[in-house]
Amino acid sequence: METLSIGDFAARSGVAPSALRYYEREGLIRSTRTSGNQRRYERAELRRVAFIRIAQQVGVSLDEIRAALAELPENRTPTRADWARLSDRWRHRLEEKITLMQRLRDDLSGCIGCGCLSLHRCKLINPDDALAAEGTGPRVLLRPA
């Protein structure tokens, strides 16, 4: 079984060695040690690190990531079915985020209901900031699609 040093693992994963050590302390990834106490990572850990990086970028907390990774088998490399089970847990939440991001992309040049009233369309869509009665923030974007 091929293992990677922390430097090689960091280079391949795109994650700094300090972050890898942190992930290990937090129980998110595992390594073994050489007789000289140097960390060695199995290649399968690259997938776990990739999962951590992407999950963080879409707003999943480390606690949620830890809980998900804890469901993966310890004594074997996770299978496609293992990973599919994890992704199903967040599918609805991710689809909601995708929808919100698409609306932001498509509607940011118009009135989003934030109360600024700085655009001409704001005066038509949100006269006198009537949307403030619905709550705080960009009310048009926060409405369900």
Side-chain angles (χ1 to χ4, degrees):
M1 159 185 49
E2 180 186 3
T3 60
L4 302 170
S5 69
I6 192 167
D8 291 339
F9 195 82
R12 181 61 186 95
S13 67
V15 174
S18 59
L20 294 173
R21 288 188 290 272
Y22 174 75
Y23 291 163
E24 191 174 342
R25 273 193 315 274
E26 292 295 311
L28 301 170
I29 62 174
R30 293 178 299 273
S31 71
T32 57
R33 300 295 177 119
T34 66
S35 59
N37 204 30
Q38 294 177 336
R39 285 179 170 85
R40 292 290 186 261
Y41 296 92
E42 292 182 20
R43 282 192 166 272
E45 293 297 301
L46 286 167
R47 179 117 180 166
R48 293 172 76 95
V49 172
F51 175 77
I52 294 165
R53 289 184 68 195
I54 297 301
Q56 283 183 303
Q57 286 183 4
V58 297
V60 179
S61 73
L62 278 181
D63 285 338
E64 291 173 288
I65 294 168
R66 182 182 301 101
L69 291 174
E71 293 180 16
L72 291 176
E74 292 232 7
N75 56 349
R76 66 171 169 79
T77 301
T79 64
R80 182 177 181 174
D82 293 326
W83 289 110
R85 197 173 51 255
L86 288 187
S87 68
D88 282 345
R89 168 187 297 189
W90 297 325
R91 185 170 307 279
H92 179 72
R93 182 164 131 195
L94 293 175
E95 289 186 13
E96 285 178 343
K97 283 183 175 268
I98 289 167
T99 299
L100 182 58
M101 290 169 57
Q102 288 172 331
R103 291 178 69 199
L104 178 61
R105 176 198 65 205
D106 296 343
D107 299 338
L108 191 58
S109 61
C111 180
I112 59 172
C114 66
C116 75
L117 304 178
S118 64
L119 302 177
H120 178 68
R121 281 190 62 194
C122 292
K123 291 174 180 63
L124 300 173
I125 294 173
N126 188 21
D128 298 320
D129 194 19
L131 292 173
E134 291 183 19
T136 60
R139 301 315 310 161
V140 173
L141 284 180
L142 295 176
R143 286 180 183 152

